[in-house]
Amino acid sequence: MNKQKRIKKDEKILKKFIAVYCRENHLRKGRKEYKDGYCKECYELLEYSLQRLYACPLDPKPQCKHCKIHCYKPQMRLKIKEVMKFSGMYFLKHGRLDWVFHYFF
Ligand code: SF4
Ligand SMILES: [Zn+2]
């Protein structure tokens, strides 16, 4: 897959996985929406992840989970891992295997 395609795909996955995580764990439990269906914390995580994605030095870009560099700072990496795990399970339970195959971290 060429880099532009990979970036588009990863962008979609990040938005979707973080949105589901936020909705189920934050917004449904009363946390205030900050922007576009995300709480502030999740919106910041999304922005950070997209920024990493656009700045990715690798070409071809691997899936982040197979990456040897891991450009995320440790705290953000922990967060995105938790998001991917939760939302991966969520999509699995809801029959969205197509999403689960793209598991990030
Ligand atoms: S973790 Fe690796 S593949 Fe993912 S954006 Fe960072 S450098 Fe690129
Ligand atoms: Zn949130």
Side-chain angles (χ1 to χ4, degrees):
M1 188 184 294
N2 78 32
K3 196 171 181 187
Q4 259 343 87
K5 265 196 176 161
R6 170 99 264 155
I7 286 177
K8 280 270 157 251
K9 198 164 193 173
D10 285 1
E11 204 176 64
K12 215 162 137 187
I13 291 163
L14 281 168
K15 287 181 180 165
K16 234 176 159 109
F17 274 61
I18 297 174
V20 160
Y21 178 86
C22 186
R23 189 185 74 210
E24 298 298 315
N25 292 286
H26 299 151
L27 303 182
R28 279 221 168 127
K29 294 182 181 161
R31 200 184 277 190
K32 234 175 79 198
E33 182 181 337
Y34 173 68
K35 211 172 169 184
D36 302 336
Y38 302 89
C39 74
K40 190 163 193 289
E41 185 189 354
C42 292
Y43 192 79
E44 282 167 6
L45 177 64
L46 175 66
E47 277 198 313
Y48 178 84
S49 306
L50 291 175
Q51 181 206 327
R52 295 326 303 157
L53 174 64
Y54 302 145
C56 178
L58 302 174
D59 191 5
K61 180 191 173 297
Q63 282 183 278
C64 292
K65 69 178 172 191
H66 299 309
C67 177
K68 302 240 181 313
I69 302 177
H70 277 302
C71 65
Y72 282 54
K73 57 184 177 195
Q75 183 209 1
M76 289 308 214
R77 193 170 169 207
L78 277 179
K79 276 193 194 179
I80 196 76
K81 267 182 134 163
E82 193 190 324
V83 166
M84 289 299 145
K85 198 168 154 206
F86 176 88
S87 299
M89 286 309 289
Y90 180 92
F91 287 126
L92 196 67
K93 279 189 212 143
H94 290 78
R96 291 304 306 264
L97 284 174
D98 49 336
W99 286 111
V100 179
F101 287 129
H102 301 299
Y103 238 101
F104 240 61
F105 279 79

